[in-house]
Amino acid sequence: MLDRDGVINADSDAYIKSVDEWHPLPGSLEAMARLSRAGWVIAVCTNQSGVGRGLFTDATVNAIHAELQRQLAPLGGHVDGFFYCPHPPEADCSCRKPKPGLLIQAAAALSFPLQGVPFVGDSRRDMDAARAAGATPVLVRTGKGARTIADGAGLPDWIENDLMAVVTRLLNDD
Ligand SMILES: O=P(O)(O)OC[C@@H](O)[C@H]1O[C@@H](OP(=O)(O)O)[C@@H](O)[C@@H](O)[C@@H]1O
Ligand SMILES: [Mg+2]
Ligand SMILES: [Zn+2]
């Protein structure tokens, strides 16, 4: 399971509001393709409060995800499911990370167990969502990761520079 902004693509404090603002991080698409080629199921679990804030629409989120799939396909990569929370923080929904709702949805929809499955993120709320879901939290230094590490709270044991480093360890341990 992967967080999106800051793990797959560059993040922005101004939100990723369009396909034009969506730029894969170096190596992230190849890392995802390596997982797909090795038979792994990939779920993307992402907060997209920009929808609830009126900054962009569900259609834009879906267009960004279609673009990700389009760029993954020639590499042999594929995302098996996208799960996102469109709600603003004040909605107090059950799916916004750090709550585990997105991860629980993904595991149910794609029929995989949460126990022992890595959730790779760049923020404290990703780590907390993973722990709440019974998954394995993995922090990367890309996106907000360096800031998350500097904050120092709630850090997992497993920290890597980027998604490619996580995938290399996963596939070597397999
Ligand atoms: O990292 P994931 O979950 O894939 O997506 C994060 C985005 O939804 C946005 O989340 C926002 O947090 P608030 O939702 O405004 O608290 C901000 O951190 C933005 O910079 C960021 O682009
Ligand atoms: Mg993120
Ligand atoms: Zn939600």
Side-chain angles (χ1 to χ4, degrees):
M1 295 179 287
L2 307 178
D3 172 54
R4 196 193 82 185
D5 298 339
V7 174
I8 298 172
N9 55 273
D11 196 0
S12 165
D13 287 344
Y15 300 76
I16 304 300
K17 303 183 288 300
S18 67
V19 174
D20 289 345
E21 291 182 5
W22 184 84
H23 303 292
L25 286 164
S28 67
L29 299 185
E30 180 54 32
M32 294 171 74
R34 287 177 67 199
L35 284 175
S36 295
R37 296 197 303 265
W40 285 64
V41 168
I42 298 177
V44 173
C45 300
T46 177
N47 283 353
Q48 291 303 320
S49 68
V51 175
R53 296 172 189 278
L55 299 175
F56 48 87
T57 63
D58 287 301
T60 297
V61 175
N62 293 331
I64 289 171
H65 295 165
E67 177 63 15
L68 170 55
Q69 297 281 44
R70 191 185 70 78
Q71 294 193 27
L72 279 172
L75 304 174
H78 179 72
V79 173
D80 298 277
F82 291 94
F83 305 87
Y84 72 92
C85 165
H87 307 112
E90 59 271 19
D92 196 25
C93 65
S94 62
C95 49
R96 177 180 165 83
K97 296 176 291 185
K99 291 180 183 174
L102 297 175
L103 285 66
I104 293 167
Q105 281 178 41
L110 299 174
S111 303
F112 61 79
L114 282 162
Q115 187 71 31
V117 171
F119 178 53
V120 185
D122 66 324
S123 299
R124 167 69 188 273
R125 66 188 185 195
D126 299 321
M127 304 301 109
D128 291 347
R131 284 184 276 254
T136 300
V138 184
L139 181 62
V140 288
R141 292 186 172 86
T142 52
K144 294 184 170 64
R147 211 183 299 179
T148 302
I149 292 168
D151 289 347
L155 300 183
D157 295 336
W158 189 356
I159 300 177
E160 300 284 0
N161 282 336
D162 56 23
L163 183 56
M164 180 65 84
V166 176
V167 169
T168 296
R169 180 163 157 192
L170 281 174
L171 297 185
N172 288 347
D173 291 356
D174 226 4

